[in-house]
Amino acid sequence: EAGVVQSPRYKIIEKKQPVAFWCNPISGHNTLYWYLQNLGQGPELLIRYENEEAVDDSQLPKDRFSAERLKGVDSTLKIQPAELGDSAVYLCASSTEVGETQYFGPGTRLLVL
Amino acid sequence: GQQVMQIPQYQHVQEGEDFTTYCNSSTTLSNIQWYKQRPGGHPVFLIQLVKSGEVKKQKRLTFQFGEAKKNSSLHITATQTTDVGTYFCRMGNFNKFYFGSGTKLNVKP
């Protein structure tokens, strides 16, 4: 069975440019998470979806970050405009339901210059 | 809000020595999960603890959940170089989950 798929794996952009990340969760997993991970830190939740509904986006900087999960499967996370401080690894994870084991994708490593 | 503390931040051991990382919460938890992240990799699930005082073992790894369900530990007996990585706890409080900052383990052969 395929794991969580993320693309791109790496992205380098200049500040003020937009960027988008894509995630395909494990088939059948209703819960999808987007995390931000800075070097030497643990994952920090940005947003959690239950099917297509965003049930926890309290940590998402809504002035520049947006996310969607149309049809309750794939999800995209967008930053517009990107800032230098957004350089980090963006991890997507999925689980059958909230509280269960989370399966992480390989992440997208973003560098904002 | 909930606070999660994980210590130590770093641990350097000689191969064969033991290793322990601890997670502490300011509030009572519904469950705790442990993950391992290899250098350059992504977090991989190790185990989940749910019951007060629960102890689970996976070969050389022993996981404990405190009686008050506010703390947990991961102990590795006789470390090997394959144990290198960062170990994270993920503390669950019903529908809220928080990752610790991780303990980075380096094992010298």
Side-chain angles (χ1 to χ4, degrees), chain B residues 34-38 42-44 46 82-88:
Chain B
W34 285 94
Y35 291 77
K36 177 183 178 181
Q37 186 171 20
R38 293 181 184 275
H42 56 274
V44 175
L46 294 176
T82 54
D83 296 326
V84 166
T86 302
Y87 294 83
F88 293 99

Side-chain angles (χ1 to χ4, degrees), chain A residues 37 42 48 56 101-102 105, chain B residues 35 37 45 88 90 95-96:
Chain A
Q37 186 175 31
R48 185 180 96 229
D56 186 354
T101 301
Q102 294 184 25
Chain B
Y35 291 77
Q37 186 171 20
F45 174 80
F88 293 99
R90 195 214 71 171
N95 288 338
K96 289 287 187 180

Side-chain angles (χ1 to χ4, degrees), chain B residues 10-109:
Chain B
Y10 302 98
Q11 186 81 58
H12 302 273
V13 301
Q14 197 73 38
E15 189 171 25
E17 293 182 340
D18 292 356
F19 160 78
T20 305
T21 174
Y22 303 88
C23 274
N24 295 289
S25 168
S26 57
T27 59
T28 302
L29 304 168
S30 55
N31 65 74
I32 189 164
Q33 295 180 350
W34 285 94
Y35 291 77
K36 177 183 178 181
Q37 186 171 20
R38 293 181 184 275
H42 56 274
V44 175
F45 174 80
L46 294 176
I47 209 159
Q48 175 168 284
L49 304 171
V50 178
K51 300 176 183 177
S52 169
E54 188 171 13
V55 178
K56 288 187 176 180
K57 292 189 176 184
Q58 289 180 350
K59 297 182 180 178
R60 296 178 293 104
L61 277 61
T62 302
F63 304 84
Q64 292 191 19
F65 203 5
E67 293 288 342
K69 300 183 74 173
K70 286 187 174 183
N71 57 72
S72 180
S73 65
L74 158 58
H75 180 81
I76 303 179
T77 303
T79 55
Q80 300 175 359
T81 54
T82 54
D83 296 326
V84 166
T86 302
Y87 294 83
F88 293 99
C89 61
R90 195 214 71 171
M91 304 191 126
N93 191 353
F94 299 101
N95 288 338
K96 289 287 187 180
F97 306 99
Y98 304 89
F99 277 87
S101 54
T103 296
K104 187 174 183 179
L105 172 64
N106 187 38
V107 180
K108 292 176 288 187

